[in-house]
Amino acid sequence: MFGLRRTKRRVGPESAPGVAPGVASGIASGGGPGVALAGLGASQTDALLRRLEWTVVRRLDGLLQGDYRTLFRGFGLDLADLREYHPGDDVRHIDWNVTARLQTPHVREYQEDREVAAWFLLDLSGSIDFGSGSVRKRDLLSDFTAVMALLLTRYGNRVGAVLYGGAADVDATVVPARAGRRQLLHLLHRMRATPAASPGDTRLRDLLERARAVARRRSVVFVVSDFISAPGWQASLGMLARRHEVVAVRLVDPLETALPDLGLVVLQDAETGEQLFVDTHDPSFRKRFAAAAEAREAELRQAFARAGVACLTLSTYARLDLALLSFARQRRRQQGSARAAGIAGGAT
């Protein structure tokens, strides 16, 4: 991904496109849950987790987790809900009685087991280091992983991770899934210890295939990436979603979708080092840039839909807790709609 290399004037958080000044200033001043968490020493990890618990976890606890019941479903024995069939769903879960009544394929969802295994597939390639403000996408990745791992491990669930450092990382680092606070601290330490990515295009397919090999038991899988990658990862994502419940956590920055008028600038690809000299003052260039970004957005939405994967988008200029709360409410509304459809089908 191309990032700003040199500009004629300084670009601060307030100048990023589509960002409210209050949000940008809140991030820049270090207030709120969107503060960068990377780069901390091992001795500060406990303090970091305590601050996360007060700023983010207490708002999410109960809504995402609950009393031994999670928002994520699919691996238990107790029937929880019915919803319409999506491409990639396990055909063994189709409820043929409801399908016959409604004339639309529906699948059964089961209440989650009390102990869940969760895997974090972390894309730590070069483009993750980009950020137009004080928070980089890598910081956002660390925030999300720490919050979700803390929520899961406090109820005895097991968490593991696969760390992918870029094209040169032939054998991605695997942190086996275990439970407990020690596992959480170990996971955060391994994230910080992962070296900077070597030059080369990201091959997200390698990360997904590695995860398929190590996550043998049905689990909840969070794919945390900006999904800036060489083609070919879509099929691997669909294969992973056939066995696991997959959530695509997409990291974005406003500068990736719309360029401000900065005059002559040099853009450098964060992964390959390629540089381009462009004139952002040209309205036609900015229009083509926005059109390309919009086309990529549409392509990603289609890829996630074909794989049957839910997508959580996290922006470097938005609060993490609000994004997670919005995602949780959206999933509950979808589950409620599927439940209503199942009731209506049973009444006919």
Side-chain angles (χ1 to χ4, degrees), residues 72-257:
F72 308 103
R73 297 177 175 176
F75 316 130
L77 298 176
D78 300 328
L79 180 64
D81 220 333
L82 291 167
R83 63 169 174 81
E84 286 192 19
Y85 173 86
H86 298 297
D89 287 339
D90 193 336
V91 296
R92 294 173 297 180
H93 293 164
I94 293 179
D95 190 310
W96 296 107
N97 292 330
V98 175
T99 298
R101 286 195 296 266
L102 298 182
Q103 298 299 308
T104 303
H106 277 68
V107 295
R108 295 183 177 184
E109 288 186 330
Y110 296 91
Q111 190 67 55
E112 186 62 82
D113 290 332
R114 290 181 176 236
E115 292 186 2
V116 180
W119 285 88
F120 295 89
L121 312 187
L122 304 180
D123 174 11
L124 300 175
S125 58
S127 61
I128 297 296
D129 287 321
F130 176 75
S132 60
S134 61
V135 177
R136 301 172 301 161
K137 289 187 286 185
R138 180 182 287 265
D139 303 327
L140 197 58
L141 177 145
S142 299
D143 284 10
F144 172 81
T145 304
V147 168
M148 292 305 301
L150 180 57
L151 280 169
L152 290 164
T153 55
R154 68 189 300 171
Y155 285 96
N157 300 311
R158 298 179 297 114
V159 297
V162 182
L163 312 179
Y164 174 74
D169 193 356
V170 178
D171 193 11
T173 302
V174 176
V175 179
R178 296 188 178 90
R181 185 177 180 85
R182 183 184 294 273
Q183 171 71 355
L184 171 60
L185 298 177
H186 176 61
L187 174 58
L188 297 180
H189 172 71
R190 293 298 293 270
M191 276 196 304
R192 289 196 304 270
T194 300
S198 302
D201 290 330
T202 298
R203 294 192 295 266
L204 196 57
R205 180 178 180 274
D206 295 346
L207 171 61
L208 299 174
E209 291 297 327
R210 179 65 170 155
R212 288 181 58 197
V214 299
R216 300 185 180 277
R217 180 181 176 183
R218 300 184 69 178
S219 310
V220 177
V221 177
F222 299 97
V223 185
V224 190
S225 172
D226 56 8
F227 292 91
I228 298 176
S229 168
W233 57 267
Q234 295 87 345
S236 297
L237 182 65
M239 293 292 292
L240 188 68
R242 289 185 182 182
R243 182 170 183 83
H244 307 282
E245 181 170 5
V246 180
V247 178
V249 183
R250 187 179 169 216
L251 311 175
V252 300
D253 186 275
L255 206 59
E256 295 173 329
T257 57

Side-chain angles (χ1 to χ4, degrees), residues 75 87 116 266 274 326:
F75 316 130
V116 180
V266 175
E274 179 185 358
S326 176

